[in-house]
Amino acid sequence: MIINTGARTDTVQYFTKWLLKRFEEGYVLTRNPLFLNKITRYELTPEKVDAVIFCSKNYAPILPFIKKISDKFNTYFYYTITAYGKDVEPGVPSIEDSMETLIKLSEIVGKQRVAWRYDPVLLTQKYTTDYHINTFEYMAKTLAPYIDRCIFSFVEMYKKLEANMPEIILLTEDDKRLIAKNLGEIAKPNNIAIQTCGTKDDYSKYGISASGCMTLDILGKANGVEFKKLKHKGMRQGCGCIESRDIGAYDTCLNGCRYCYANKNHKKAFENYKFHDPNSPLLLGEIQEGDVIQQGMQNSFLVSGKTVCQLSLI
């Protein structure tokens, strides 16, 4: 099975001590977001976990300790760095600081395990198509030697976003094609493999691969292991990724990104953070009377008999 540490919250940035403790003790508990009295236990051992996925906007807190995990497990790191400032992403470091941290991460774990996420792409009077194109070009030239690939997506216009970002400008199909064309043209001379995330739109004529940024093929090549040839169900419509199990919790990320889908509101995340105990097996709170703990299914996707062969990080 694949463990995902950051789809519901930025675990790396705000819950580093907890995350390291869970891998040290070899298990984690995660509460079902729909049925709160149901808790699933996952073993966090190399024998039970095929790969550990990290998704974050700031790896600085975990950099000194990351090899405690990356030396034992197959890993892959998604680093989101966008064009936005504090007006859109209040808790996220600057572009310059973020790129510096990505470079350090890449030097520790190897570029073949690091993907740069430039998403979501959204438009306002400030963040125009030209702004995105110019910023992406600047970042691409800096990050190219340190990443395995670049992944981008266009923002999904759900109701909560309309309330949180009333200044957002609806992306037209022409806008999308213009941005995709320029991103593809920038990526090519910088030798960056670029692909979309969560869309069925075809931008292959711009040198952009289809969605499926967390596939067994990508994870296998990054770590020098062989996975079974399984169909990727995807996490949502238009997604071609392999299924994973997230160990985080919604409404806990303090980044405050105004386009966020994982927080109902920013204040709720700060309220919930008060219930976080780094020593608890749960990200939030403790086991309560009436909770039902069940062992999660942890079937392996690895080819039987194939052992980990770590790639050279030089």
Side-chain angles (χ1 to χ4, degrees):
M1 69 167 295
I2 310 297
I3 286 288
N4 194 324
T5 67
R8 296 174 180 172
T9 188
D10 199 331
T11 313
V12 166
Q13 178 165 200
Y14 297 108
F15 305 101
T16 291
K17 290 183 179 179
W18 175 83
L19 189 62
L20 293 169
K21 184 77 170 180
R22 298 310 347 120
F23 278 96
E24 179 183 337
E25 295 191 354
Y27 79 100
V28 67
L29 300 182
T30 178
R31 194 177 291 278
N32 189 307
L34 299 179
F35 305 97
L36 296 180
N37 69 314
K38 294 184 178 180
I39 295 174
T40 303
R41 172 177 171 133
Y42 295 113
E43 307 305 317
L44 298 182
T45 64
E47 293 76 26
K48 290 292 185 178
V49 175
D50 296 329
V52 182
I53 303 302
F54 295 86
C55 304
S56 179
K57 295 179 180 178
N58 182 12
Y59 281 85
I62 205 171
L63 280 186
F65 317 103
I66 196 62
K67 285 179 71 66
K68 292 183 178 181
I69 301 174
S70 64
D71 282 356
K72 295 180 181 179
F73 293 85
N74 298 316
T75 51
Y76 202 79
F77 302 84
Y78 295 88
Y79 204 137
T80 301
I81 311 177
T82 68
Y84 313 119
K86 297 291 184 180
D87 57 325
V88 177
E89 300 175 338
V92 179
S94 68
I95 290 175
E96 288 73 20
D97 287 345
S98 295
M99 291 196 296
E100 182 179 346
T101 302
L102 183 149
I103 291 170
K104 291 178 181 177
L105 173 67
S106 178
E107 290 173 343
I108 294 171
V109 303
K111 66 172 289 184
Q112 77 278 0
R113 295 187 194 176
V114 180
W116 166 35
R117 295 191 66 99
Y118 185 84
D119 67 340
V121 175
L122 57 83
L123 298 181
T124 68
Q125 290 293 333
K126 176 180 179 180
Y127 300 108
T128 63
T129 54
D130 285 344
Y131 192 103
H132 278 291
I133 292 165
N134 292 332
T135 305
F136 183 85
E137 183 172 25
Y138 161 64
M139 295 166 68
K141 290 179 178 178
T142 303
L143 298 178
Y146 304 99
I147 58 174
D148 174 54
R149 66 191 60 239
C150 175
I151 301 144
F152 77 97
S153 70
F154 295 110
V155 70
E156 294 184 27
M157 290 300 298
Y158 47 90
K159 290 184 178 180
K160 184 170 65 173
L161 179 61
E162 294 176 4
N164 291 343
M165 288 195 71
E167 74 271 29
I168 201 167
I169 298 172
L170 186 65
L171 278 158
T172 67
E173 292 304 312
D174 285 341
D175 291 330
K176 292 180 181 180
R177 282 191 290 269
L178 176 63
I179 292 170
K181 178 177 182 294
N182 278 273
L183 266 54
E185 290 177 347
I186 293 168
K188 185 176 181 180
N190 285 288
N191 296 314
I192 297 175
I194 186 169
Q195 62 184 103
T196 54
C197 174
T199 180
K200 292 183 178 179
D201 294 330
D202 184 1
Y203 301 114
S204 57
K205 63 182 179 181
Y206 306 131
I208 298 171
S209 300
S211 298
C213 48
M214 193 175 77
T215 67
L216 293 179
D217 182 61
I218 290 173
L219 299 180
K221 289 179 179 178
N223 291 279
V225 297
E226 185 177 348
F227 284 97
K228 298 174 183 176
K229 304 299 181 183
L230 301 176
K231 184 177 180 180
H232 293 62
K233 298 179 181 179
M235 308 301 288
R236 63 188 187 280
Q237 186 176 8
C239 176
C241 295
I242 191 66
E243 60 181 294
S244 62
R245 296 292 178 263
D246 194 279
I247 61 175
Y250 293 116
D251 292 315
T252 60
C253 184
L254 307 184
N255 280 330
C257 301
R258 295 173 62 202
Y259 52 76
C260 180
Y261 68 89
N263 283 349
K264 291 180 180 178
N265 62 68
H266 192 38
K267 291 182 180 180
K268 182 67 173 177
F270 277 89
E271 292 172 4
N272 283 337
Y273 192 77
K274 300 175 184 178
F275 299 101
H276 172 66
D277 177 0
N279 295 312
S280 172
L282 289 161
L283 184 70
L284 282 187
E286 306 288 344
I287 300 170
Q288 304 293 323
E289 183 177 354
D291 284 341
V292 178
I293 302 176
Q294 63 179 6
Q295 186 67 44
M297 295 291 292
Q298 294 188 246
N299 297 325
S300 178
F301 300 147
L302 286 166
V303 173
S304 179
K306 297 291 184 179
T307 57
V308 175
C309 176
Q310 298 291 358
L311 299 183
S312 171
L313 303 188
I314 300 176

